[in-house]
Amino acid sequence: MIIPALDLIDGTVVRLYQGNYQQQNNYGKDPILHLHNYLSQGAELLHLVDLTGARDPSLRQIKLLTNLLSYCAPAKVQIGGGIRSAADVEELLKYGANRVVVGSTAVTQPQEVQNWFKIFGPDALVLALDVRIDISGKRWIAISGWMEDSGLMLEQVIDQYLQTVGLNHILCTDISRDGTLSGINIELYQSLCSHWPSIKFQSSGGICSLDDIAKLHHSGVHDVIIGRALLENKFTVAEAMACWQNV
């Protein structure tokens, strides 16, 4: 499935370059304008990221997110950024989110988040494991809005969860590609889907053309999150969906 994404800082639609808050492109203060565009083209699932909340959970943009959720129905929405407690998850689900994306807390407090899987079920949660890949090919997970290294590798965290809870959705971003329009890391997703075929992986980062989407379809990923390429009209949501369905 094609999933259009909007990242939000203090109400403004932005894209960060490789997760760097100091390098951001601004796409205006009207996220509903973008949502209307995506929904009118048939988007069935949207991805919203509260980057303000990711950097400082005390500043989560709940009012804005609640407003956007009310606008998106009946399309489904997954939301991430600054999720630190079961109450945070429950709040977003109550306001209409279909899935809550959990990143840093899933890595720093795995037992706590594993309890959330038992409470809310694996379809209500997406594990966001975003990686920096070193020169030896090791995939290290970044946390806290990608500003800190966790010291854990991707494989460690996935296996840890699979040993304790059901795990349906993982969003994996190659940080070095995110917001760059430099093309996807197809080898990363081929590796993930081959090693854990039961998990529905969501790809994110670097998409710049319909050819990238076609390559991802063959990699085995279940969903493709697209941000900057849509905001900069590299192609439309309708074109992306047609590409995904017709490969």
Side-chain angles (χ1 to χ4, degrees):
M1 180 179 287
I2 298 297
I3 308 178
L6 291 181
D7 292 1
L8 301 157
I9 292 180
D10 300 335
T12 298
V13 178
V14 302
R15 292 298 302 181
L16 305 182
Y17 185 87
Q18 295 180 336
N20 187 339
Y21 279 73
Q22 304 306 313
Q23 296 185 55
Q24 59 179 258
N25 292 318
N26 184 324
Y27 302 94
K29 284 185 170 292
D30 191 357
I32 287 182
L33 179 68
H34 295 287
L35 290 178
H36 175 75
N37 180 30
Y38 298 158
L39 293 169
S40 68
Q41 295 179 60
E44 298 176 354
L45 176 60
L46 298 156
H47 179 73
L48 303 179
V49 182
D50 179 358
L51 287 176
T52 302
R55 183 167 54 181
D56 183 349
S58 70
L59 300 176
R60 293 174 60 221
Q61 303 171 89
I62 292 299
K63 184 177 180 180
L64 172 63
L65 295 174
T66 303
N67 185 38
L68 297 181
L69 280 168
S70 66
Y71 183 83
C72 293
K76 295 181 178 180
V77 182
Q78 62 181 38
I79 298 180
I83 308 301
R84 296 293 185 269
S85 69
D88 293 339
V89 176
E90 186 173 18
E91 181 179 41
L92 289 175
L93 294 175
K94 181 182 71 175
Y95 287 137
N98 299 91
R99 296 178 192 153
V100 177
V101 181
V102 185
S104 298
T105 309
V107 178
T108 60
Q109 301 180 60
Q111 291 183 338
E112 172 69 16
V113 174
Q114 287 160 16
N115 284 331
W116 301 356
F117 275 81
K118 296 171 184 175
I119 296 170
F120 302 108
D123 270 335
L125 296 168
V126 179
L127 217 58
L129 303 176
D130 306 325
V131 296
R132 288 191 173 91
I133 303 173
D134 67 20
I135 57 174
S136 65
K138 292 181 178 177
R139 302 174 288 204
W140 299 96
I141 297 176
I143 57 174
S144 302
W146 301 351
M147 294 184 290
E148 299 177 24
D149 291 327
S150 70
L152 295 172
M153 289 193 292
L154 180 64
E155 294 81 358
Q156 292 177 274
V157 177
I158 293 177
D159 286 339
Q160 182 183 39
Y161 274 82
L162 284 177
Q163 290 170 5
T164 54
V165 295
L167 191 56
N168 287 354
H169 307 281
I170 291 181
L171 162 58
C172 184
T173 301
D174 179 345
I175 296 171
S176 71
R177 307 292 182 104
D178 198 59
T180 67
L181 297 176
S182 62
I184 55 171
N185 183 344
I186 191 67
E187 294 81 9
L188 170 65
Y189 299 109
Q190 288 173 333
S191 170
L192 295 177
C193 295
S194 173
H195 198 80
W196 294 282
S198 65
I199 297 175
K200 296 173 182 176
F201 283 98
Q202 300 180 357
S203 69
S204 176
I207 291 175
C208 66
S209 69
L210 294 175
D211 186 52
D212 285 333
I213 294 172
K215 290 177 182 175
L216 282 168
H217 193 282
H218 294 297
S219 75
V221 298
H222 194 267
D223 303 300
V224 180
I225 293 175
I226 308 173
R228 185 177 173 185
L230 293 174
L231 291 166
E232 298 192 1
N233 302 311
K234 301 298 182 184
F235 49 80
T236 67
V237 169
E239 289 171 335
M241 294 173 64
C243 178
W244 184 253
Q245 292 166 358
N246 297 322
V247 172

